[in-house]
Amino acid sequence: MWDRLWRVVGVMAALVPVQTSAQAVDAPLVLPDPDALPYPIDRASIVDYPAVVTCGGEPVTPIRAEPLRPSLIVATPIDLGHDRPEPPAVDLTFDIAADGRPYSIRIARAGSYPVVIGGDLEPQAQASLLGWRFQPRALTGCRLETHAVTTPLADASEALIARTLALTGPGTADGRRVLMRALARPDDDCRTTPGRRTVVSPGPDVQPDPGTRAWTVLRYDIDADGRIQLGDTLESSPDPTVIQGVSEAYAQTTFQHGKPRRGCIMVLERYGPTAPPGPIPIPDWEPLNRCTAQQRARFTPGRLIY
């Protein structure tokens, strides 16, 4: 019986096709395309948030404005079917100190747009407003409002794409790849940069103002000797002196020798020191804050003896 069973198994095994080594060699090996994007450019859009500041109902122009971080989204624009203006995407109230710094920044939730793209739009706007500077005079009752403006990535300007790239966090690698490809010109071939031989950093005197961040987006070429040939400044923060120092230092960086590359993109940034705390307003609705000098003297603690 066992002999008959083995003969049946042998016949079945003979019917199973066996891949020869020649067949295995001829089979194509499919590798992922290193230039492939996670999604096409024509499906992406940039949502920008231009801001308007008023104090007491009158427009106020800042000396320095830290732009809000644009959002890169993959979506199809929706026609709302009406021309009514949307509520503001961000609505903040604040005051301006005598040195021109904003303080007491609050979210004015009444009337704020309920949809927050990215989930942290209002806190991010509060952090950006801290880097703004106004004329050195005290003002109260100020307001910052922004409205979302959506632009297809294929139609966006280089400056808007570069600003989105500079202000996008490093955790969004797919989005950064799409933005850098959108900045590439037809004959650019710099997908990756070679290894660096030397790195030159700006000196300690190249420093933004306290509480601010300076950044720039550069497009440059690398020659066969690994030296940088600076090209265009696509977009920068309003810190020309700091940006010049950072760009000049980076231009001295050298890479490994090899094939020349054209159209490399680099985001350079520099953070200023921590800003000192601004004035802390004393709320007038607290009864203890409306005491007379005689009343305050009664609340002054005496010398501790323990």
Side-chain angles (χ1 to χ4, degrees), residues 71-153:
S71 302
L72 180 67
I73 61 174
V74 184
T76 302
I78 300 175
D79 185 5
L80 299 178
H82 58 74
D83 297 329
R84 295 193 305 270
E86 295 181 353
V90 173
D91 192 359
L92 304 178
T93 61
F94 65 99
D95 297 326
I96 299 176
D99 60 357
R101 293 171 51 194
Y103 71 99
S104 189
I105 303 173
R106 297 181 175 90
I107 298 175
R109 297 192 179 277
S112 293
Y113 195 46
V115 178
V116 178
I117 299 176
D120 61 347
L121 182 58
E122 288 177 330
Q124 190 263 333
Q126 286 181 293
S128 296
L129 184 54
L130 287 173
W132 289 41
R133 294 296 180 267
F134 297 87
Q135 292 290 344
R137 55 172 179 166
L139 292 174
T140 59
C142 301
R143 200 177 199 100
L144 179 143
E145 292 184 348
T146 71
H147 290 268
V149 178
T150 303
T151 304
L153 181 57

Side-chain angles (χ1 to χ4, degrees), residues 146-211:
T146 71
H147 290 268
V149 178
T150 303
T151 304
L153 181 57
D155 300 332
S157 64
E158 276 192 347
L160 177 58
I161 299 174
R163 178 157 53 89
T164 306
L165 176 65
L167 301 180
T168 298
T172 55
D174 287 347
R176 294 174 68 88
R177 285 178 55 200
V178 172
L179 291 169
M180 294 181 73
R181 187 68 58 85
L183 289 172
R185 297 163 298 188
D187 53 349
D188 287 345
D189 59 1
C190 184
R191 296 289 184 263
T192 59
T193 55
R196 298 179 183 180
R197 285 186 299 159
T198 59
V199 178
V200 179
S201 300
D205 56 325
V206 181
Q207 193 174 72
D209 293 335

